[in-house]
Amino acid sequence: VGNDVATIDGVMGVIEILSSRREYTKINPFIVLLGKGDHEITSSWTSSFGYEYATTIGITRNNITFVGTGKDTTTILGGFGIENVENITFKNMTVTNTSDNGSGIHMRNAKVELIDVALKGCDNDAVWITSSTSATTLVATRCEFANSDYGALVFGSLTSATFKNCVFNDNKYDGINGSLQPTIHLHGEATAVHSNDRFGIHAQY
């Protein structure tokens, strides 16, 4: 972003055009390279429940990988709405969404992977998985979920979230909140849940 597309808001338009010309797959995804610095999202996204979220990009195609240069060097100022798509991957970046009710990643009926991503400083949740009607999976490796209302809010019996060597800290309420019977896996010696204002891990009904 910056060389071929002026702003990150223009990325989905380019992906829509190019995806109509060729097929991208899980093995050969559309790759979005994000350079150093701040990448500000100014567009809004409306969820399938009809709620509009400011400074959020809606992901509308399968098989997309976003690659930054590192947690300390590439920052997304805004968040991502991910519904009814699969094989969406984020690597090597920080995502922060300070808009009212803003989440770093808001997902439903989707399959997402996070590798070396910090989601922090969000007005709402670092990652929010709402109740789904089809199998929904999140796999996060060496990620940080911090300084938001919730680190990870995981809803629904069709949802599976796996966290490998991830840290959940300094959130206003819970580090991890699981509701409505999701499946949550925590792996790795570097996994840590600490300094959250209410519960580290909260499992309910």
Side-chain angles (χ1 to χ4, degrees), residues 69-84:
T69 60
K71 294 179 187 177
D72 297 327
T73 52
T74 297
T75 301
I76 305 297
L77 302 177
F80 297 89
I82 307 172
E83 291 188 338
N84 304 309

Side-chain angles (χ1 to χ4, degrees), residues 25-184:
T25 65
K26 183 176 182 179
I27 297 175
N28 295 296
F30 188 105
I31 298 175
V32 180
L33 299 177
L34 299 162
K36 294 180 179 180
D38 295 341
H39 300 269
E40 183 177 5
I41 296 172
T42 59
S43 56
S44 63
W45 168 74
T46 301
S47 75
S48 58
F49 293 108
Y51 297 107
E52 184 175 358
Y53 297 92
T55 61
T56 302
I57 288 179
I59 304 300
T60 56
R61 293 281 185 167
N62 299 321
N63 307 311
I64 305 172
T65 297
F66 296 86
V67 182
T69 60
K71 294 179 187 177
D72 297 327
T73 52
T74 297
T75 301
I76 305 297
L77 302 177
F80 297 89
I82 307 172
E83 291 188 338
N84 304 309
V85 291
E86 61 183 12
N87 303 326
I88 307 301
T89 302
F90 299 87
K91 299 179 180 179
N92 307 326
M93 68 185 69
T94 288
V95 179
T96 180
N97 192 352
T98 59
S99 293
D100 183 42
N101 206 30
S103 296
I105 289 178
H106 185 157
M107 58 179 283
R108 179 175 185 261
N109 296 339
K111 293 178 172 60
V112 174
E113 184 172 9
L114 308 173
I115 302 170
D116 294 309
V117 175
L119 296 111
K120 58 185 182 180
C122 297
D123 183 72
N124 194 6
D125 314 308
V127 61
W128 182 12
I129 309 175
T130 58
S131 293
S132 300
T133 56
S134 64
T136 294
T137 60
L138 172 69
V139 178
T141 303
R142 298 183 302 275
C143 295
E144 180 183 358
F145 305 82
N147 300 109
S148 304
D149 274 4
Y150 294 88
L153 195 58
V154 184
F155 282 3
S157 60
L158 296 177
T159 296
S160 174
T162 300
F163 301 100
K164 305 173 184 177
N165 293 312
C166 294
V167 179
F168 306 81
N169 62 280
D170 296 289
N171 294 289
K172 184 177 180 180
Y173 298 112
D174 307 332
I176 304 170
N177 183 301
S179 301
L180 305 176
Q181 302 180 324
T183 300
I184 300 174

